[in-house]
Amino acid sequence: MKNQNVVIRPFEVATDTEKLSGIWLDASLMAHPFIGERRLIEQRQLIEEKYLPNAETWVACRMGEPVGFISLLDTFIGAIFVAPDLQGQGIGRKLIAHAMVRKGELSLEVYTQNQQAVRFYTALGFLEVSRRSTDDEGLPFENAHLRLNG
């Protein structure tokens, strides 16, 4: 693992919003091509204006620069994203571990088409609780609900 140089700190709306929404967009374009670039670009504004400021968000930084984040709604992971060029280096694992220490249990929903994410969560011990055939907007993108107990 190469995450030793990663520091996790609280989200700062004034300085982090644009950088984190950029990480979200870059990672989403890579992980969720089935959603479509136009829809993802439109959702970026919601990420900046609604989701980031209304969640308990923690920022993973390397040399002071944000490289990933996790947003929590109580014990539910609303988002976890790592800059695409830094994925596979343990940053996501460190964010999950940080959230587990704080919450004791975690749950999330993941697009089943995002096999890389499904494998990541399964490797960390998340178990599937249920599935639904549509996403939050009613579009035909299957989601799995996963849970990790401490």
Side-chain angles (χ1 to χ4, degrees):
M1 283 210 219
K2 302 175 185 174
N3 69 12
Q4 323 68 307
N5 298 325
V6 174
V7 173
I8 298 177
R9 62 162 174 79
F11 171 69
E12 297 171 9
V13 68
T15 56
D16 292 334
T17 299
E18 189 173 337
K19 178 69 175 175
L20 297 190
S21 74
I23 290 170
W24 173 87
L25 181 61
D26 292 344
S28 292
L29 288 168
M30 186 179 84
H32 307 138
F34 51 90
I35 292 176
E37 183 175 352
R38 192 180 95 223
R39 184 168 168 232
L40 290 171
I41 289 170
E42 289 169 358
Q43 287 178 340
R44 184 177 182 177
Q45 186 174 0
L46 283 174
I47 297 298
E48 291 180 353
E49 294 175 1
K50 182 178 178 186
Y51 297 119
L52 285 172
N54 291 315
E56 177 186 342
T57 298
W58 296 92
V59 183
C61 295
R62 221 185 236 168
M63 297 184 342
E65 282 299 308
V67 295
F69 68 96
I70 188 168
S71 293
L72 304 168
L73 302 165
D74 192 26
T75 61
F76 184 81
I77 299 172
I80 178 170
F81 289 91
V82 174
D85 59 328
L86 297 173
Q87 291 180 7
Q89 298 184 24
I91 297 166
R93 286 179 179 271
K94 192 164 186 172
L95 285 164
I96 294 284
H98 179 81
M100 258 320 263
V101 167
R102 296 186 64 76
K103 302 297 182 177
E105 67 177 83
L106 297 170
S107 66
L108 58 87
E109 285 198 346
V110 61
Y111 288 110
T112 57
Q113 290 183 54
N114 185 353
Q115 285 298 304
Q116 180 181 348
V118 171
R119 285 190 301 274
F120 169 74
Y121 297 127
T122 302
L124 291 176
F126 280 84
L127 299 174
E128 185 172 324
V129 175
S130 63
R131 284 188 184 218
R132 59 188 172 111
S133 60
T134 59
D135 67 7
D136 289 340
E137 296 179 20
L139 296 172
F141 303 123
E142 184 178 67
N143 276 257
H145 184 88
L146 309 178
R147 178 167 286 127
L148 179 64
N149 294 316

